[in-house]
Amino acid sequence: MDEKQKARLFELADLILAISRHLHAAKADAAEPWTPLEAAVMRFIDHQPGATATQAAEATQLISSNFSRALRKLEHKGLVRREADPGDARRVRLYPTQKAGENLGYLQDAWSRLLEEAVPDAGEAEALISTLRHIESQLLDRIRSGTDRG
Amino acid sequence: MDEKQKARLFELADLILAISRHLHAAKADAAEPWTPLEAAVMRFIDHQPGATATQAAEATQLISSNFSRALRKLEHKGLVRREADPGDARRVRLYPTQKAGENLGYLQDAWSRLLEEAVPDAGEAEALISTLRHIESQLLDRIRSGTDRG
DNA sequence: CTGGATCACTATCATTTGACAGGCAACCGA
DNA sequence: TCGGTTGCCTGTCAAATGATAGTGATCCAG
């Protein structure tokens, strides 16, 4: 890889991580009932209702034991509902509850308020989101096809 | 704020956080000697050599006690050098050591390799970085001018 | 010189997170 | 039916993180 491109990608990683720290801090201000990890799980379930535990654990980069722990807490708080898969009794399908929707609303408020003034304009935001969406899906695909490629 | 814009910004936050989780995981693969937080501190010092502890703590969103702890570990590992400010003996200026440069190289390798295939092309990467740079600086400014604005 | 503010630090606490070992029930192919 | 596999789970440990209280040195305004 080109040295210049390498430096570019590094800066990209750096920026994404820096901004993610701001987002975490903003979430704390909003007094959300979720830890960062729980929020990640919750957001995935909201995006992919009906996903199995394994799928959700994969997407959130968690090993199953830790995912199960996060899930237990969320269920205990009444934010996630488990449902047995009719075709395979081992599988558990996950769904957000109505309460989850309300709480995600708080999160949406906190984050969108933080980003509102920082994001240049709607047009650039669209382009940004489109590109990031692509990147994220590529990274997810890589995990699915096997993480190790050294 | 427009509901649509709110949803857009939320998705943006979601994507940034999701990608940051991938980056953290990739760092683990690279067997770096840093925790995520230490890496954040290290990267700031690398970008802003000579910054004071307060400035670095502010940029990394850490309260001074926790920043100090991270710094102690980094210094112990020989990655950061403290230097007294000639003009104000209370202040400590922070500099990366040569060893830090080497280790940042590993990090750069791990992250750029991860992003290499996921990022569409150099042109889009440039635009992406430019926009994110803007966003990050806006968020930093907001902190400097007082976090609370509810 | 004195009191208040600033800067960096330590000590300590609860919580979160990551990782491993292992268990149990359900599934599937032979 | 049986052995191996899969999906999900609990228990447990070490480490990282976030936050508060408080110390001590230095600076600065008056």
Side-chain angles (χ1 to χ4, degrees), chain A residues 127-141:
Chain A
L128 181 61
I129 289 169
S130 162
T131 308
L132 290 177
R133 214 185 275 149
H134 173 80
I135 292 174
E136 208 269 336
S137 75
Q138 289 292 309
L139 294 175
L140 258 187
D141 283 351

Side-chain angles (χ1 to χ4, degrees), chain B residues 52-54 64-65 68 72 82 90-92:
Chain B
T52 67
T54 298
S64 75
S65 63
S68 180
R72 193 195 320 155
R82 285 169 156 104
R90 291 170 305 175
R91 289 205 175 100
V92 174

Side-chain angles (χ1 to χ4, degrees), chain A residues 21 52-54 64-65 68-69 71-72 82 90-92:
Chain A
R21 291 189 65 82
T52 68
T54 298
S64 75
S65 63
S68 179
R69 174 174 47 191
L71 193 62
R72 193 197 316 156
R82 285 170 156 103
R90 292 170 304 175
R91 289 208 173 98
V92 175

Side-chain angles (χ1 to χ4, degrees), chain B residues 15-147:
Chain B
L15 286 168
I16 288 173
L17 289 166
I19 295 174
S20 76
R21 290 188 67 81
H22 287 284
L23 290 171
H24 281 307
K27 190 188 67 62
D29 288 346
E32 283 304 317
W34 304 324
T35 66
L37 192 144
E38 284 172 20
V41 172
M42 196 63 247
R43 279 177 288 129
F44 175 80
I45 295 177
D46 187 58
H47 285 334
Q48 310 272 325
T52 67
T54 298
Q55 290 169 335
E58 183 181 79
T60 49
Q61 304 266 286
L62 287 170
I63 62 182
S64 75
S65 63
N66 297 329
F67 175 81
S68 180
R69 172 174 46 190
L71 194 61
R72 193 195 320 155
K73 289 187 202 168
L74 288 172
E75 193 183 23
H76 205 265
K77 292 172 186 169
L79 299 167
V80 171
R81 182 168 50 85
R82 285 169 156 104
E83 195 170 303
D85 185 310
D88 187 338
R90 291 170 305 175
R91 289 205 175 100
V92 174
R93 301 272 172 192
L94 305 173
Y95 298 91
T97 63
Q98 193 201 336
K99 185 174 172 186
E102 295 166 13
N103 283 3
L104 280 165
Y106 296 138
L107 207 54
Q108 195 182 43
D109 286 344
W111 283 344
S112 56
R113 215 175 324 123
L114 179 71
L115 291 175
E116 188 178 9
E117 298 162 25
V119 172
D121 61 76
E124 278 194 64
E126 279 294 357
L128 181 62
I129 289 170
S130 162
T131 308
L132 290 177
R133 214 185 275 149
H134 174 81
I135 292 175
E136 208 270 337
S137 76
Q138 290 291 309
L139 293 175
L140 258 186
D141 283 350
R142 161 171 308 191
I143 295 173
R144 294 219 180 83
S145 61
T147 311

